Amino acid sequence: MSKRGTSANNDNRSLATRLLLMAVGMFGFGFLLVPLYDVFCDLTGFGGRTNETAVVMEENRDASREIQLEFVTTVNEFAPFAFEPMVESMTVQAGGLYEAVFTARNLTGRSKIAQAVPSVAPSIAGSFFKKLDCFCFTNQEFAANEERELLVRFIVDSELPDYVDTLTLSYTFFDTARLTDNRQQAATSTHSNQ
């Protein structure tokens, strides 16, 4: 084999190695994007994320500052629930303690488990919307055809930037009971076969 052929083979191997390393690096970067994005959102409040656990916060009402709060609900396309706010909007004072009530109803004839995922718009306001208690902190178990009221207690932090005068609190309701349903069906068929 000539030097030219050996050199071409070495160049091809080197190129293939570099391409393989680049592909592995891009896969690794793509894999790390989700946790990095989560950390970024937690630190900055970007994406309208709110606190995921209850905060302890004293009421420090600023009567001179009113904020319009709108409520929006969505049900995931696979979730057999009706879900809506009791009121579509309310005016709150910065630093004041408030409650909002939502209603949810299981539209099926069997028990279901649901989870609500919140977000706040504009996204800059997510870290200033403090939930002291929220139905979104835990899964909600519903009996067949059950309807119930769900409560969120919150304070809009008085440190919210002055240019923000309207917030939208959105919840998306998801059905998290698919595995439970599959387990119940498996248990029922096991018992009926015995």
Side-chain angles (χ1 to χ4, degrees), residues 49-55 118 126-127 129-132 136-137:
R49 291 196 177 180
T50 61
N51 53 301
E52 295 176 2
T53 58
V55 297
S127 60
F129 188 87
K130 306 293 187 180
K131 295 187 303 286
L132 284 67
C136 64
F137 293 154

Side-chain angles (χ1 to χ4, degrees), residues 52-107:
E52 295 176 2
T53 58
V55 297
V56 176
M57 186 172 185
E58 294 293 321
E59 184 174 24
N60 186 18
R61 189 177 301 261
D62 178 359
S64 67
R65 177 134 187 244
E66 290 188 341
I67 300 159
Q68 184 68 26
L69 183 59
E70 300 169 344
F71 301 107
V72 175
T73 58
T74 307
V75 177
N76 177 272
E77 65 181 309
F78 301 110
F81 291 95
F83 178 52
E84 59 190 14
M86 292 286 270
V87 296
E88 291 183 8
S89 66
M90 64 178 16
T91 302
V92 300
Q93 294 176 341
L97 176 63
Y98 293 91
E99 293 182 350
V101 180
F102 295 78
T103 59
R105 187 180 53 186
N106 177 359
L107 300 176

